[in-house]
Amino acid sequence: MIARVIVTPKPVVNDPQGLTVKQGLASLGFREVTDVRVGKYIEVNLEGSSEHEARRRVEEMCRQLLANHVIEDFQFDIEPERKRR
Amino acid sequence: MIARVIVTPKPVVNDPQGLTVKQGLASLGFREVTDVRVGKYIEVNLEGSSEHEARRRVEEMCRQLLANHVIEDFQFDIEPERKRR
Amino acid sequence: MSIKSVDERRLREVALTPDEYRAIVEQLKRAPNEVELGMLGVLWSEHCSYKSSRALLRRLPSTGQGVVQGPGENAGAVEIGEGWSVVFKIESHNHPSAIEPYQGAATGVGGIIRDVIAMGARPIALLDSLRFGPLPASARHVEGVVAGIGGYGNCIGIPTVGGEVYFEDCYASNPLVNAMCVGLVRTDQLMRARAEGAGNSLMLVGADTGRDGIHGASFASLELDEQSAQRRPAVQVGNPFLEKCLLEACMDLAHTDAVVAIQDLGAAGLTSAVAECAGRVEGAGARIDVGRVPRRERGMTPYDVMLSESQERMLVVVRRGREREVETIFQAWDLTSAVIGEVTGDGQLTVLDGEDQVARVPVRLLTDGVPMRRLIGLPPEPPYGLEVDALPPLADPGASLLRMLASPNLSSRRGIFRRYDHMVGDSTVVAPGGDAAMLRIKGTRLGIAVTTDCNARYCHLDPHLGAQLAVAEAARNIVATGARPLAVTDCLNFANPDRPEVYWELEEVVAGLAYACRALDLPVVSGNVSLYNDSNGTSAIYPTPVIGMVGVIDDYGKRLGAGLSAEGDFVLLIGSSHNDLGGSEYLKVEHGHVAGRPPALDLTREKAVLRLILSAAQSGYLHSAHDCAEGGMLVALAEACLLGGIGVRCPAIRPEPPLRLDAAFFGESPSRFIVSVPSRAMPEMQSLARRHNVELSLLGLAGGEVIEFEGQLKLSLAELRMAWDSMVIS
Amino acid sequence: MKFGVVVFPGTWSDRDCGWVIDQVLGQELVYLWHKDSDLKGCDCVILPGGFAYGDYLRTGAIARFAPIMEKVGEFADRGGLVWGICNGFQVLCEAGLLPGALIRNASLEFRCEWTHLLVERTDLAFTGQCTERDVLRVPIAHGEGSYFADPATLSGMEQRGQVVFRYCDAGGRVVPGANPNGSLHNIAGIVNSRGNVLGMMPHPERCAEAELGGTDGLKLFRSVAENAFKVLVS
Ligand SMILES: Nc1ncnc2c1ncn2[C@@H]1O[C@H](COP(=O)(O)OP(=O)(O)O)[C@@H](O)[C@H]1O
Ligand SMILES: [Mg+2]
């Protein structure tokens, strides 16, 4: 089972990385870019259990460790097959 | 148009962050976790152009700036609708 | 006047009391509108107005030789010689760090740096004073705070050279994060944040304004409770890179005469910056247009813009007609700048949104209108008795020493300060790890020593004495490097002062600070007060008046380290020892009590000891000096050995009654130092001590790889180091 | 000898390098602004430490596109001396002027402390004043200094002798315990195959005066200055 977790800064939270990358892209000539947000991607491989159970566990992991709920949102999907995306 | 870019450390590169997250999860009781890799998630909003053109441009951004091919792989998808995932 | 026009929920939101609201209506002669209410709410918060503490703070001495700027500006300034002044201030960021340790601590560092920049000074050093609940439960919090301080300081390129960390139960739900910044400026180029000259432009520079931390100042003035969770959007994310650019641009600005003043935006954002700046000039006012404020988000209201606490912004007062020059400087650093208004002479803060006037409040009402709160102090029962005679005698000094060195309050802080860049700037000539740190002033032989200190356990047991001990210890730390103490900045961290016993602590602490600072000729040139460090009204922190101190040495070539530096040196104890076990770390670690009276302090003796050490350092008699603090003589001696990598052989200690053996080893009598003296300088050192009328006792000889007191303890440096390096925070 | 020190937004070792060049060594110094595209006739370009562009996204990732970098690349191609220190090393790797990359320290912590470096090349313009297998005491200050290159690149570099500095203990032994960040092969500094572009994580400019705790770093600055002198007289 593999879970792909995406953690992003909450929309109202300042994202200095995103701002700086946006400026970097602009100076490289990518002027069509209107906004950039930088977050984390976390790939978690888990053993056994049902997809339903895995979903519950990963949700728990996000709440407890993977995301900082004060400033970040998270989302994830789960794939039964253990193969790299 | 919105591009969702995922940048991951290449399999041969050490991922101390992934290891630490794995240990952290284990110490919280998530013992079913067999492997964790930590990468980056970058959300790029772009103006105008076709999906095809956007794909070409984002590919270019990844090659030039968003990923370092010595240590990282990247992948992305593009969604015409500009709505937050 | 009735209060009916505004509902109570709204008042609570802006943290105003019905009485305060009434005072506003009375002085405005009308009801304030929403925006005005918000502005008054933040500026009248405890955090901005000091309404509970201002009267007390006046008791602190703030003038003295060398003081160039006392309290009232963004930071204080003291002349150090050769045309240079040091600018410094300490500030708390306790509440934000409790909610989000990394960002809370990081933005605390960012904020105090901007206060120093606003004075036209280049920041050259940072210090952090931290208090947490016991390990390991607090480990994640410690990790976040330390990472946040390093994350900001390391990125911006200002060395973090000192600070302190303590672990006590009382901080478990109210951790304290205080940050101090020290800057350097030519005295004649010191700036003051005064909005002089009607018609001059107000420019907002740096980051765009977002909806960060709206009502952060009010938030800092409330106790933490379940509802704090809902206030969480108040948490700000710092951008040290942007602040680095802002810093350099402001340094460039200081070289032009286009600028009248620079003011940082901190708590209460634009409202506070504009009001403070205008408030410092008699009759000055300001007119600003929120429509011209560059924004990060769409749909922000004038209310949001006026109250936003977005980081990394500065207000610049620019001479009329010189705006282009300023803009060019900021452009060079890729920073936005916008003219948002102008200085007026009408004494009003007028806020426009394009054509529309959205607020108009007298500046004085904002800055000085809040009714001062008269609180009542009542001493609590003194429950902290200690029968020293009832304590069992010291059984095994070696075993005790190992346990003491491994205690989180005494163990080596290397695991923390090696995560801070403490070398950038090529000026750190005494690195963290000993007593004060020292930075050289390039182009001169001058050095400045900096430290923060406070034993809050002493303050808990006796606030008046504890505060004095904190000042004395800071002075001792400065003197241990060979530098002369100059001036103080203080951060008063307290629980809810509405509780009479807390207000009593505050009164006592301020009185103690004032007394010690007067006795040691140390003006208090800046500071900060953080109240309401309680959670749910139950657990209160110890009164924690953190003392930041700066000293100067005329020739940094004469500086001293804390570690023994040569085999064969005589190792001496300077000062006298008493049965001072009250409030000691020994009592806590070995007997599990926090009790008794803190050590008695005789400031006349203290002065004599400080003079002796300075004079010996000046004459070149000393190879090292280290002050005896928590853990007493033996812990100080072990530290001197471990820092220098040299052992010491001593004859057995046979204390003269009534001095107990445990007190001789681990008692915390103040006004003492461990020094090492080369044998050739011993006669001079002895006669110098006699002349200063200070007790000097020979402990032993430096050398080898063990610490030995004949027949009493013998431990290898390796064993000691293992214990000392045992703190694990991540 | 004219040193040029590049300043990116977010750079902070520029002044420290400048201080050593100008005040300690008495050599000629110019600062090179990232937006400029002129090296002002300098003989050695230093890319100093700092957090250019905040090191956001990846260390050195954005800085390498600064206008000045194009000139630095051309200068390197002509055989000019380019010296990246800490963040400068990261920029050089991102720019492809040096092989490999620098990733998060294995400890995941920023580390500021003294290290020992074994000098493996003394035939370079940067190390001419060092003795064979010299051990230098030089501080580090970085969070992302763990050197990585794929196995083929790494073995090619080793064969060509491109590793200039390795973390070692005080006795010069290259042991895992002396490695502060998890760098492959204990690598602290490397050179390009031509020998004119050096990248190193430790900060020699922080140990060029006794009062800062050591003077080993001065050897490297002296080497560059002396080398220019040798080139001039030959
Ligand atoms: N405990 C104190 N002792 C002396 N001065 C103080 C103290 N607390 C605050 N001050 C002074 O009062 C002024 C306002 O403080 P503060 O509101 O913390 O400044 P800022 O607006 O820069 O955050 C400053 O000049 C500060 O130095
Ligand atoms: Mg201020």
Side-chain angles (χ1 to χ4, degrees), chain C residues 47-48 50 57 60 70-76 89-91 115 263-264 267 272 276 280 489-492 524-529:
Chain C
H47 186 80
C48 292
Y50 290 82
L57 296 180
L60 298 173
E73 276 286 338
N74 286 302
K89 181 163 190 235
I90 190 166
E91 209 158 65
D115 275 327
Q263 167 68 42
D264 69 295
S272 151
E276 272 183 37
R280 294 192 183 104
T489 182
D490 66 318
C491 196
L492 304 178
V524 179
V525 297
S526 62
N528 179 241
V529 179

Side-chain angles (χ1 to χ4, degrees), chain D:
Chain D
M1 178 71 192
K2 190 168 177 181
F3 286 85
V5 176
V6 176
V7 184
F8 298 106
T11 295
W12 37 239
S13 276
D14 46 340
R15 295 155 163 274
D16 296 355
C17 290
W19 171 262
V20 172
I21 291 163
D22 181 39
Q23 299 292 316
V24 182
L25 266 181
Q27 300 285 325
E28 208 183 328
L29 165 72
V30 285
Y31 288 106
L32 305 171
W33 184 236
H34 67 113
K35 289 180 185 171
D36 290 347
S37 42
D38 172 9
L39 298 186
K40 299 184 181 164
C42 63
D43 310 293
C44 173
V45 176
I46 294 183
L47 303 179
F51 282 64
Y53 295 95
D55 276 351
Y56 295 145
L57 192 66
R58 276 188 325 280
T59 59
I62 301 180
R64 76 142 166 133
F65 292 107
I68 195 83
M69 284 307 293
E70 205 178 308
K71 298 295 158 189
V72 171
E74 291 167 16
F75 180 67
D77 288 345
R78 291 198 306 271
L81 296 182
V82 177
W83 184 3
I85 297 169
C86 194
N87 197 221
F89 183 14
Q90 295 161 338
V91 174
L92 289 174
C93 288
E94 280 283 337
L97 290 170
L98 288 172
L102 294 141
I103 60 173
R104 266 305 268 283
N105 291 352
S107 63
L108 296 181
E109 287 180 5
F110 187 96
R111 282 288 158 82
C112 175
E113 58 192 356
W114 289 85
T115 63
H116 292 93
L117 306 179
L118 180 67
V119 182
E120 301 212 339
R121 291 274 299 269
T122 55
D123 60 332
L124 298 167
F126 305 97
T127 53
Q129 302 272 305
C130 300
T131 52
E132 280 299 317
R133 302 192 66 76
D134 218 348
V135 175
L136 307 180
R137 198 169 153 269
V138 185
I140 55 165
H142 60 246
E144 298 179 42
S146 177
Y147 185 76
F148 173 85
D150 64 67
T153 308
L154 201 55
S155 79
M157 286 167 59
E158 291 286 10
Q159 273 162 25
R160 286 186 296 274
Q162 282 178 251
V163 177
V164 183
F165 304 116
R166 267 186 242 274
Y167 298 110
C168 63
D169 64 15
R173 284 173 299 267
V174 177
V175 290
N179 186 340
N181 54 27
S183 287
L184 295 179
H185 297 198
N186 277 36
I187 287 173
I190 59 170
V191 77
N192 63 348
S193 49
R194 187 168 170 181
N196 64 319
V197 178
L198 171 73
M200 61 191 295
M201 285 314 294
H203 285 278
E205 81 283 4
R206 294 187 179 185
C207 53
E209 292 163 278
E211 49 261 65
L212 298 178
T215 55
D216 285 356
L218 197 56
K219 278 191 191 173
L220 305 185
F221 284 92
R222 280 233 171 86
S223 299
V224 176
E226 285 289 313
N227 176 72
F229 180 71
K230 268 188 267 166
V231 173
L232 263 173
V233 296
S234 68

Side-chain angles (χ1 to χ4, degrees), chain C residues 157-178:
Chain C
I158 300 168
T160 303
V161 300
E164 49 177 348
V165 190
Y166 288 93
F167 303 89
E168 302 276 3
D169 295 335
C170 66
Y171 301 112
S173 25
N174 295 279
L176 302 183
V177 176
N178 295 177

Side-chain angles (χ1 to χ4, degrees), chain C residues 494-656:
Chain C
F494 283 77
N496 182 349
D498 300 350
R499 291 159 56 190
E501 69 279 14
V502 173
Y503 190 69
W504 175 80
E505 288 173 344
L506 184 59
E507 286 179 305
E508 290 289 298
V509 158
V510 171
L513 290 184
Y515 180 69
C517 288
R518 285 217 166 80
L520 299 176
D521 294 319
L522 292 166
V524 179
V525 297
S526 62
N528 179 241
V529 179
S530 168
L531 304 177
Y532 301 100
N533 293 286
D534 309 51
S535 53
N536 298 323
T538 52
S539 73
I541 60 162
Y542 290 165
T544 312
V546 175
I547 301 300
M549 197 178 288
V550 174
V552 68
I553 188 167
D554 296 328
D555 177 2
Y556 68 81
K558 292 192 168 154
R559 71 194 179 280
L560 298 173
L564 302 184
S565 65
E567 306 241 340
D569 278 358
F570 287 90
V571 179
L572 315 178
L573 174 67
I574 305 292
S576 44
S577 310
H578 308 279
N579 280 336
D580 286 319
L581 293 173
S584 67
E585 190 66 18
Y586 172 76
L587 198 61
K588 175 88 192 275
V589 171
E590 295 291 281
H591 300 290
H593 310 307
V594 174
R597 265 184 67 76
L601 174 67
D602 175 344
L603 285 163
T604 313
R605 306 278 319 141
E606 181 74 54
K607 255 164 110 163
V609 172
L610 296 179
R611 285 215 191 97
L612 165 65
I613 300 293
L614 280 179
S615 152
Q618 200 60 32
S619 313
Y621 303 158
L622 304 183
H623 273 164
S624 71
H626 183 33
D627 90 299
C628 293
E630 289 92 359
M633 180 277 283
L634 190 55
V635 167
L637 181 66
E639 287 166 350
C641 291
L642 289 166
L643 288 167
I646 297 176
V648 64
R649 299 195 103 79
C650 311
I653 295 255
R654 307 242 176 272
E656 260 179 52

Side-chain angles (χ1 to χ4, degrees), chain C residues 360-381:
Chain C
R360 184 172 168 87
V361 191
V363 169
R364 283 275 165 265
L365 181 62
L366 286 162
T367 56
D368 291 314
V370 63
M372 290 294 122
R373 303 183 69 216
R374 257 175 240 106
L375 299 175
I376 298 159
L378 284 177
E381 296 286 302

